[in-house]
Amino acid sequence: MASVSGVRGVVGKSLTPELLAKYSSAFGNLCNFFSQNAHPKVVLGRDSRASGEMCRVAVLSGLLATGCEVIDLGICPTPTLQIAVEGLAADGGIIITASHNPIQWNGLKFIGSNGMFLSEREAEKLFDLVKNNKIIYQPWSGLGKVKTDHSWIQKHIQKIFKLKYIDVKKIKRKKLKVVLDCCNGAGGTISPGLLRALGCQVIELYCNPDGNFAHNPEPLPENLVSLCRAVKKNKADIGFANDPDVDRLAMVSDLGIPLGEEATLALATKFILSKKPKSKVVTNISTSRMIDDIVQKHDSKVYRTKVGEAHVVRELKAVKGIIGGEGNGGVILPELHYGRDALVGMALILEYLAESKKTITDLASDLPKYFMIKKKGKLTKYFEGNLAKLKRKYMKSRKRFGIPNGFSGEKINLIDGVRIDFEDSWIHVRKSNTEPIFRIIAEAKSEKKAKGLVAESLKILGAN
Ligand code: MG
């Protein structure tokens, strides 16, 4: 799977050393094209997956063969690597990760010289080099070099503490008790340290970055059972879950109840807008309407993009947004850097707890109430046709979903699959960027209605 989110595959099947080296060499060529340096400077890092070392060697080989000077950060989060690319004024970066995908997967995320994901156009250029065998390799005298640098974990933490929104002393005084589930991903290298530096008593759950994922690493409620149990048992103030490359954050309340990924960006946005109303917020079209309600209350404006960090950050930069991200738990605070970052997410939530003097249960129950249902299905060759059918049907049958007569406010958005907005509900169907599946999301004021929308759509898509 190659997309604006990078390259992903199953190790030993679609993801081979040859393929990894090819993509890395193409990336080396791309960096060389834009670089002022004789040898383009490329930052390399990986999450903790067991296949990470095989991939690292292949990627390194591809980069050295195209003359890159490689700075190897070792195991680190995606946001740490993005910050290092900016901090080192590098020409680009590659992080070896399959993000939240299960252990048999791995992949590459490509970062440009601005520390941001490659744009769609840049990614296309990269894929074209691979597809059409246009890669240029260096002779023996032009090969690159590699050095290691383990300083960026600490630099990342310090950068967060310097943000004007974060009052380290105030958080420290609260002495919060936190259970942390890193699923033995890269979060183990940084998250316990960040929380302890904020005076938290940290109960570590799977914080050993050895890549033996203790559960399905996607931070969805059904995968956080042991975190919920540990929060309750330890009477903690909050539970945090990081995905393997630490760009997504999910939370469990002090009562041991998962708050759902959508709550992360909603709470972080509410906190930031309470400090700076009349601002701009950017999120993708799959994200909860909670954001629209919060934004409206704070006299602000929301901009919606296609799904994928690359799209959100570009719009954030273009409109000079104050905060943005994705409903899957990805918080982007441009003041820190243009990338989803679970670490800044945790710091903002702890600051919110410290300032509001409320529990996380209270903060979450103050959020606008919606029910969201997310499902996925296998792509078939009939998918596009069925999607067109679904679009036609929903535009005609709004009455069936309890939309009042005379309401003509349903809107249709086709930038990324099909999203249809009704008065008090919406549905979005799109192809995944990272897996051969389609995703379907519905949100409504009642669970029954959200479920009804999903069931109906799955029937039309021929996938139930
Ligand atoms: Mg991730």
Short mmCIF file of all heavy atoms in Angstrom, two decimals, residues 390-403 410 422 456 460:
data_model
loop_
_atom_site.label_atom_id
_atom_site.label_comp_id
_atom_site.label_asym_id
_atom_site.label_seq_id
_atom_site.Cartn_x
_atom_site.Cartn_y
_atom_site.Cartn_z
N LEU A 390 -24.80 4.34 -3.10
CA LEU A 390 -25.03 4.84 -1.74
C LEU A 390 -25.23 6.35 -1.72
O LEU A 390 -26.13 6.87 -1.06
CB LEU A 390 -23.82 4.46 -0.86
CG LEU A 390 -23.81 4.96 0.57
CD1 LEU A 390 -23.54 3.79 1.51
CD2 LEU A 390 -22.74 6.01 0.79
N LYS A 391 -24.43 7.03 -2.50
CA LYS A 391 -24.53 8.48 -2.59
C LYS A 391 -25.92 8.88 -3.08
O LYS A 391 -26.58 9.73 -2.48
CB LYS A 391 -23.45 9.00 -3.55
CG LYS A 391 -23.34 10.49 -3.61
CD LYS A 391 -22.19 10.91 -4.50
CE LYS A 391 -22.60 10.90 -5.95
NZ LYS A 391 -21.50 11.21 -6.87
N ARG A 392 -26.36 8.22 -4.16
CA ARG A 392 -27.67 8.55 -4.72
C ARG A 392 -28.78 8.28 -3.71
O ARG A 392 -29.66 9.09 -3.49
CB ARG A 392 -27.92 7.73 -5.99
CG ARG A 392 -27.13 8.22 -7.19
CD ARG A 392 -27.67 7.64 -8.48
NE ARG A 392 -27.60 6.18 -8.51
CZ ARG A 392 -26.53 5.50 -8.94
NH1 ARG A 392 -25.45 6.14 -9.34
NH2 ARG A 392 -26.53 4.18 -8.95
N LYS A 393 -28.68 7.14 -3.04
CA LYS A 393 -29.73 6.72 -2.12
C LYS A 393 -29.87 7.72 -0.96
O LYS A 393 -30.96 8.14 -0.61
CB LYS A 393 -29.41 5.33 -1.60
CG LYS A 393 -30.43 4.80 -0.64
CD LYS A 393 -30.65 3.33 -0.87
CE LYS A 393 -31.83 2.83 -0.08
NZ LYS A 393 -32.29 1.53 -0.58
N TYR A 394 -28.73 8.07 -0.38
CA TYR A 394 -28.79 8.95 0.80
C TYR A 394 -29.26 10.35 0.46
O TYR A 394 -29.91 11.00 1.25
CB TYR A 394 -27.44 9.00 1.51
CG TYR A 394 -27.24 7.85 2.44
CD1 TYR A 394 -26.07 7.70 3.15
CD2 TYR A 394 -28.25 6.92 2.60
CE1 TYR A 394 -25.90 6.63 4.00
CE2 TYR A 394 -28.09 5.84 3.43
CZ TYR A 394 -26.90 5.70 4.13
OH TYR A 394 -26.74 4.65 4.97
N MET A 395 -28.93 10.77 -0.71
CA MET A 395 -29.36 12.11 -1.08
C MET A 395 -30.88 12.15 -1.26
O MET A 395 -31.51 13.17 -1.13
CB MET A 395 -28.66 12.58 -2.37
CG MET A 395 -27.17 12.83 -2.19
SD MET A 395 -26.78 13.93 -0.82
CE MET A 395 -27.24 15.52 -1.50
N LYS A 396 -31.47 10.98 -1.53
CA LYS A 396 -32.91 10.92 -1.76
C LYS A 396 -33.70 10.59 -0.50
O LYS A 396 -34.85 10.97 -0.36
CB LYS A 396 -33.21 9.84 -2.81
CG LYS A 396 -33.07 10.33 -4.23
CD LYS A 396 -33.56 9.24 -5.16
CE LYS A 396 -32.83 9.28 -6.48
NZ LYS A 396 -32.75 7.97 -7.10
N SER A 397 -33.09 9.82 0.39
CA SER A 397 -33.91 9.17 1.41
C SER A 397 -33.69 9.75 2.81
O SER A 397 -33.72 9.06 3.78
CB SER A 397 -33.61 7.69 1.44
OG SER A 397 -32.28 7.51 1.87
N ARG A 398 -33.47 11.03 2.88
CA ARG A 398 -33.16 11.60 4.18
C ARG A 398 -34.31 11.41 5.18
O ARG A 398 -34.09 11.35 6.38
CB ARG A 398 -32.78 13.06 4.07
CG ARG A 398 -33.86 13.92 3.45
CD ARG A 398 -33.33 15.33 3.32
NE ARG A 398 -34.39 16.27 3.10
CZ ARG A 398 -34.77 16.67 1.89
NH1 ARG A 398 -34.18 16.19 0.83
NH2 ARG A 398 -35.74 17.53 1.76
N LYS A 399 -35.54 11.30 4.68
CA LYS A 399 -36.68 11.15 5.57
C LYS A 399 -36.58 9.88 6.42
O LYS A 399 -36.97 9.86 7.57
CB LYS A 399 -37.97 11.08 4.73
CG LYS A 399 -38.80 12.36 4.84
CD LYS A 399 -39.81 12.39 3.75
CE LYS A 399 -41.22 12.30 4.32
NZ LYS A 399 -42.19 12.30 3.22
N ARG A 400 -36.06 8.83 5.82
CA ARG A 400 -35.94 7.55 6.53
C ARG A 400 -35.11 7.65 7.79
O ARG A 400 -35.22 6.85 8.69
CB ARG A 400 -35.30 6.52 5.62
CG ARG A 400 -36.19 6.11 4.51
CD ARG A 400 -35.56 5.02 3.73
NE ARG A 400 -35.23 3.88 4.60
CZ ARG A 400 -34.63 2.81 4.16
NH1 ARG A 400 -34.29 2.73 2.92
NH2 ARG A 400 -34.36 1.82 4.98
N PHE A 401 -34.22 8.60 7.82
CA PHE A 401 -33.34 8.71 8.99
C PHE A 401 -33.82 9.78 9.94
O PHE A 401 -33.07 10.31 10.74
CB PHE A 401 -31.90 8.96 8.53
CG PHE A 401 -31.40 7.86 7.67
CD1 PHE A 401 -31.37 7.99 6.30
CD2 PHE A 401 -31.02 6.66 8.24
CE1 PHE A 401 -30.95 6.95 5.50
CE2 PHE A 401 -30.60 5.61 7.44
CZ PHE A 401 -30.56 5.75 6.07
N GLY A 402 -35.11 10.10 9.83
CA GLY A 402 -35.69 11.02 10.80
C GLY A 402 -35.34 12.47 10.54
O GLY A 402 -35.44 13.30 11.43
N ILE A 403 -34.87 12.76 9.34
CA ILE A 403 -34.57 14.16 9.02
C ILE A 403 -35.92 14.85 8.79
O ILE A 403 -36.72 14.37 7.99
CB ILE A 403 -33.72 14.28 7.75
CG1 ILE A 403 -32.50 13.34 7.81
CG2 ILE A 403 -33.28 15.72 7.51
CD1 ILE A 403 -31.54 13.60 8.92
N GLU A 410 -28.88 18.91 3.89
CA GLU A 410 -27.88 17.87 3.76
C GLU A 410 -26.83 18.32 2.77
O GLU A 410 -27.14 18.88 1.71
CB GLU A 410 -28.46 16.49 3.40
CG GLU A 410 -28.89 16.33 1.97
CD GLU A 410 -30.31 16.81 1.79
OE1 GLU A 410 -31.12 16.60 2.70
OE2 GLU A 410 -30.60 17.41 0.77
N PHE A 422 -26.36 15.28 7.39
CA PHE A 422 -27.76 15.59 7.62
C PHE A 422 -27.82 16.61 8.75
O PHE A 422 -26.80 16.99 9.31
CB PHE A 422 -28.52 14.32 7.99
CG PHE A 422 -28.37 13.21 6.98
CD1 PHE A 422 -27.53 12.13 7.24
CD2 PHE A 422 -29.03 13.27 5.78
CE1 PHE A 422 -27.38 11.12 6.30
CE2 PHE A 422 -28.88 12.26 4.84
CZ PHE A 422 -28.05 11.18 5.11
N GLU A 456 -27.44 0.34 7.16
CA GLU A 456 -28.02 0.63 5.86
C GLU A 456 -26.91 0.78 4.79
O GLU A 456 -27.00 0.22 3.70
CB GLU A 456 -28.83 1.93 5.97
CG GLU A 456 -29.53 2.35 4.72
CD GLU A 456 -30.75 1.48 4.43
OE1 GLU A 456 -31.44 1.08 5.40
OE2 GLU A 456 -31.01 1.21 3.24
N ILE A 460 -25.92 -1.47 1.29
CA ILE A 460 -25.77 -0.92 -0.07
C ILE A 460 -24.37 -1.24 -0.62
O ILE A 460 -24.19 -1.53 -1.79
CB ILE A 460 -26.00 0.61 -0.07
CG1 ILE A 460 -27.41 0.92 0.42
CG2 ILE A 460 -25.77 1.20 -1.46
CD1 ILE A 460 -27.66 2.37 0.76
#
